[in-house]
Amino acid sequence: MTREAPHLNEEQLALLASEVPNPLAEEHLVSCERCRRRWQQYVAIREAMRALPSPALPRDFTFVLERGVTPPSIPWWWRHRFSIRVGTLLAATLLVMLLSTALVLPGPSEKRALEQPAPTAIAVLSSQETPTGPGAGGEVLPPSAALEGTPMGEDTATSVSAFAAPAETPSRVTPEHEQEVIQPTGGFSRLGLLSFTVLLGIITLFGLIFGFALPMIHRIRSKNVLQ
Amino acid sequence: MFGTVPAGEEQQLAMGTGDPDSTLVAAARAGDHDAFAELVRRYQRLVYAVSYRLLRDQSLAEDVTQDAFLRAYLSLDRFRGTSFRAWVLRIAHNAALDQLRSLARHRHVPLEAVPERPEPFNPPASVEHQGLVAALEAAIAVLPPDQRAVVLLADVEGLPYEEVAEALAIPLGTVKSRLARARMRLRALLEADPRARELLELSGRLASGESDPRDLATWTQE
């Protein structure tokens, strides 16, 4: 290090009182009396501070434990908070999926309406499919005749047979019948689905309280205690 | 009794961090009062000394020390740091700062100007030494609280920088810059104080060749 080398700044010198200098700083301290003197002042001050007598203890602080202070036990939800959070997230996801499915898919009445043919279609089907020939169950009265109040006579049997005709035809399962058949099962499944949704809602609510809200309050309180 | 701590966590605490107190901390967390009492015995002098020098008031320092250990005891299950000593010091430092703020509020004086109220220390060996101690104590008391805390922990108590940083919850770079500023200010204060003549004579002796800068490593190895 030459004489022209810049002096170490005050902050560097102050820190060198407790740090090993780098080779350049060490060389400078050897050659520069001004910096060495200042550095030695810092070293001396630090040594004096290390030698300061400790204030005498006024009492033994282990008495803290003799006052019967008991630390609060760790709540169960704090210990299991991570598994509670995972369960809550799963339940919430399932709940959202169920609810969105219920909203998007048609309900039972809508489904019935969709599956039921339109009235005109029924009429067409009836005219095409109902046997009208002799021995096939009788004739169907035209609507105008029925409205005109045809006297009940020999035609009555015809009329009756005409109304009874569908019963005599081979039984055809209509959507209405289908609904009647599956009605009890559908009711049970809807009830089960509803119960499951409610259960998921309760689990989610429970998880939000014990997995998120209470641990957050617990953490804030503990921070306040330590600060 | 403490709450149940999972066995794995206890073992991790006991073996994990390299903290000399980890075994005692683990035992205390499991409900062993004697283990916590041993921790208190280890650090009560340090915590009280730092609190006292921060507050300059014996009864306040007592309160802060007691409060720090009580808080540590009640919050032991939340201790996740690497050093119990740094953790307790941090609690005590926060409590002392609260006290200083309260003092400043009630007395309507700034934090930096909290009046010095020296309490009797252990009697020093000589009058000169007594003068030097008084000068040093007075100079430390004049420092702002943030610099004072760093100087007390790093220079007076000899804690490593890393532990000082953990105790004060500040970065390592901040510890160094505060320490440098504090030492600069202390030097300026002591230069102006006639009671610190002994100290200046010591540095004069050092300057006259009793010490070699090449022995810096020796100076810093304590």
Side-chain angles (χ1 to χ4, degrees), chain A residues 14 18-19 21 38-40 42-43 46-47 49-50 53-54 58-61 63 65 67 222 225, chain B residues 33 44-45 53 62 66 70-71 78 94 122 155-156 161 180 183-184 187 206-207 213 216 219-220 222:
Chain A
S18 58
E19 287 180 2
R38 188 58 62 90
W39 163 72
Q40 284 164 342
Y42 284 118
V43 170
R46 183 167 181 269
E47 286 297 301
M49 282 197 288
R50 288 290 289 126
S54 289
R59 61 170 186 251
D60 184 8
F61 288 96
F63 82 99
L65 304 176
R67 296 167 72 196
S222 65
V225 165
Chain B
H33 286 196
Q44 59 182 351
R45 188 210 62 79
R53 287 198 166 105
E62 263 186 66
Q66 176 187 318
L70 194 60
R71 285 183 184 188
R78 287 166 223 149
N94 288 335
N122 296 332
D155 282 350
V156 179
Y161 290 167
R183 284 176 182 168
M184 286 154 59
R187 194 192 61 76
L206 291 169
L216 265 174
W219 280 91
T220 54
E222 291 176 7

Side-chain angles (χ1 to χ4, degrees), chain A residues 10-21 26-27 29-30 33 36-65 67 69-74 78-79 81 218 221-227, chain B residues 1-4 33 36-37 40-41 44-45 48-49 52-53 58 62 65-66 69-71 73-75 77-78 87 91 94 98 121-122 133 136-137 140 151 155-158 161 176-177 180 183-184 186-187 190-191 199-200 202-203 206-207 211 213-214 216 219-220 222:
Chain A
E10 201 68 25
E11 192 169 331
Q12 282 177 311
L13 287 167
L15 281 178
L16 279 177
S18 58
E19 287 180 2
V20 179
E26 190 177 317
E27 283 300 318
L29 286 175
V30 170
E33 192 180 341
R36 187 170 65 245
R37 185 176 286 275
R38 188 58 62 90
W39 163 72
Q40 284 164 342
Q41 282 182 338
Y42 284 118
V43 170
I45 290 168
R46 183 167 181 269
E47 286 297 301
M49 282 197 288
R50 288 290 289 126
L52 275 177
S54 289
L57 265 185
R59 61 170 186 251
D60 184 8
F61 288 96
T62 52
F63 82 99
V64 166
L65 304 176
R67 296 167 72 196
V69 178
T70 51
S73 59
I74 307 170
W78 178 259
R79 261 180 276 141
R81 63 191 184 281
H218 187 70
R221 277 186 185 168
S222 65
K223 268 187 183 175
N224 289 339
V225 165
L226 297 179
Q227 284 178 355
Chain B
M1 276 295 290
F2 289 88
T4 315
H33 286 196
F36 192 79
V40 175
R41 268 190 288 275
Q44 59 182 351
R45 188 210 62 79
Y48 176 74
Y52 175 79
R53 287 198 166 105
Q58 185 178 333
E62 263 186 66
T65 307
Q66 176 187 318
F69 283 117
L70 194 60
R71 285 183 184 188
Y73 182 60
L74 294 174
S75 315
D77 61 294
R78 287 166 223 149
W87 186 59
I91 298 172
N94 288 335
D98 285 345
F121 278 177
N122 296 332
V133 167
L136 264 174
E137 293 283 357
I140 291 170
V151 160
D155 282 350
V156 179
E157 300 299 339
Y161 290 167
K176 288 187 178 185
S177 60
R183 284 176 182 168
M184 286 154 59
L186 279 176
R187 194 192 61 76
L190 289 172
E191 260 186 346
L199 193 66
L200 297 176
L202 174 63
S203 65
L206 291 169
S211 172
R214 293 178 194 281
L216 265 174
W219 280 91
T220 54
E222 291 176 7

Side-chain angles (χ1 to χ4, degrees), chain B residues 24-42:
Chain B
L24 284 173
V25 171
R29 284 167 61 118
D32 185 350
H33 286 196
D34 292 338
F36 192 79
E38 178 56 30
L39 288 168
V40 175
R41 268 190 288 275
R42 276 188 191 183

Side-chain angles (χ1 to χ4, degrees), chain A residues 82-97 200 203-204 207-208 212:
Chain A
F82 295 114
S83 43
I84 291 174
R85 284 172 189 172
V86 171
T88 307
L89 290 177
L90 283 175
T93 309
L94 207 56
L95 185 66
V96 169
M97 284 168 66
L200 282 177
I203 290 172
T204 307
L208 285 174
F212 292 92

Side-chain angles (χ1 to χ4, degrees), chain A residues 17-201:
Chain A
S18 58
E19 287 180 2
V20 179
N22 61 50
L24 277 178
E26 190 177 317
E27 283 300 318
H28 181 77
L29 286 175
V30 170
S31 60
C32 176
E33 192 180 341
R34 176 186 172 277
C35 288
R36 187 170 65 245
R37 185 176 286 275
R38 188 58 62 90
W39 163 72
Q40 284 164 342
Q41 282 182 338
Y42 284 118
V43 170
I45 290 168
R46 183 167 181 269
E47 286 297 301
M49 282 197 288
R50 288 290 289 126
L52 275 177
S54 289
L57 265 185
R59 61 170 186 251
D60 184 8
F61 288 96
T62 52
F63 82 99
V64 166
L65 304 176
E66 292 158 9
R67 296 167 72 196
V69 178
T70 51
S73 59
I74 307 170
W76 62 270
W77 41 262
W78 178 259
R79 261 180 276 141
H80 302 291
R81 63 191 184 281
F82 295 114
S83 43
I84 291 174
R85 284 172 189 172
V86 171
T88 307
L89 290 177
L90 283 175
T93 309
L94 207 56
L95 185 66
V96 169
M97 284 168 66
L98 269 175
L99 290 176
S100 57
T101 308
L103 285 174
V104 171
L105 289 183
S109 56
E110 289 171 330
K111 193 183 281 182
R112 195 181 305 148
L114 283 172
E115 287 174 356
Q116 196 171 5
T120 51
I122 293 171
V124 171
L125 279 171
S126 303
S127 62
Q128 285 175 352
E129 290 177 11
T130 310
T132 53
E139 295 174 356
V140 178
L141 286 176
S144 56
L147 288 171
E148 281 167 5
T150 310
M152 294 292 287
E154 57 180 34
D155 290 340
T156 312
T158 315
S159 303
V160 169
S161 65
F163 281 107
E168 287 172 16
T169 54
S171 63
R172 185 169 58 87
V173 181
T174 62
E176 287 85 353
H177 293 134
E178 202 173 339
Q179 283 297 327
E180 282 166 13
V181 171
I182 64 168
Q183 189 72 22
T185 319
F188 278 126
S189 68
R190 277 204 303 278
L191 190 67
L193 206 62
L194 188 68
S195 309
F196 188 54
T197 309
V198 170
L199 185 69
L200 282 177

